[in-house]
Amino acid sequence: MNSKTNHIKVDYLIIGAGLAGLTLKHFLKNENTVILDPSAGAYKVGESFIPETFHHPEMQGLLRGIKRLPSYSNKVGSTFVSESSVASFPLPIEGQEYSLHVSRSELETYMQRYWKVLVRKERVQRIDFDTMTVYSDTGTYSVAKQIIDCSGPSMVIARALNETIAT
């Protein structure tokens, strides 16, 4: 880690620029919030969204642009397949306008542009919870309010606290 890195003071620091991190940054409405993600738009599990994801009016504002993305398609239900059975669940017609399949990387890139969210391409190296300081590979952040882990399976904070569960 470079000892001459900038020391930046922020209110909130969000780890992970996926759907959760980008949406949280937007809804916080706090200009002194930073999102760190070393590989925003990288492969993520799940590219199908339930209607509830887009019910909020601010989320609905995304839909027109999302429907123009190359990977977009309508979603009218879900099918689950196991070794011994198949189950299909159609969506009610009134929820279908909010249901969709779309590439997560396309969706997240669009959300960044639409909401004008800056994502810093940095990897968290260490977190000092006593001083609320986050050290990345290129910077140091003093966090006044909260460090929020939206890194999904990476579980950055759980790993820092040594609280991950081996499976």
Side-chain angles (χ1 to χ4, degrees), residues 1-166:
M1 187 182 315
N2 183 352
S3 61
K4 297 183 181 185
T5 58
N6 289 337
H7 195 94
I8 302 164
K9 294 181 180 182
V10 299
D11 290 334
Y12 299 95
L13 186 133
I14 301 169
I15 303 168
L19 184 66
L22 293 170
T23 302
L24 177 61
K25 166 66 171 111
H26 174 71
F27 277 89
L28 277 173
K29 307 283 189 216
N30 180 297
E31 292 300 317
N32 199 24
T33 300
V34 168
I35 297 182
L36 303 181
D37 192 318
S39 55
Y43 173 78
K44 295 172 181 80
V45 175
E47 297 186 351
S48 177
F49 298 92
I50 59 173
E52 289 76 10
T53 304
F54 295 100
H55 270 233
H56 190 280
E58 289 193 47
M59 297 298 286
Q60 288 177 17
L62 294 165
L63 287 174
R64 175 177 281 149
I66 291 170
K67 290 179 179 182
R68 290 193 297 257
L69 295 173
S71 65
Y72 168 80
S73 66
N74 289 327
K75 177 180 178 176
V76 295
S78 294
T79 301
F80 299 92
V81 179
S82 72
E83 289 181 21
S84 60
S85 66
V86 175
S88 182
F89 302 94
L91 289 171
I93 291 175
E94 63 271 4
Q96 289 180 10
E97 69 268 25
Y98 304 121
S99 298
L100 53 107
H101 291 281
V102 67
S103 160
R104 289 281 297 267
S105 61
E106 283 181 14
L107 173 64
E108 291 161 7
T109 300
Y110 175 71
M111 291 170 72
Q112 287 179 44
R113 281 194 324 263
Y114 186 84
W115 285 334
K116 298 175 179 74
V117 173
L118 172 68
V119 176
R120 295 176 186 233
K121 295 192 183 301
E122 299 176 38
R123 181 176 305 282
V124 173
Q125 301 290 318
R126 184 168 64 90
I127 302 171
D128 182 330
F129 294 100
D130 293 329
T131 63
M132 294 289 285
T133 305
V134 176
Y135 301 90
S136 78
D137 50 0
T138 62
T140 302
Y141 299 87
S142 290
V143 183
K145 296 184 179 182
Q146 193 167 10
I147 302 166
I148 306 148
D149 191 346
C150 294
S151 66
S154 296
M155 301 183 298
V156 173
I157 290 178
R159 290 179 195 282
L161 293 170
N162 199 26
E163 293 185 1
T164 57
I165 299 170

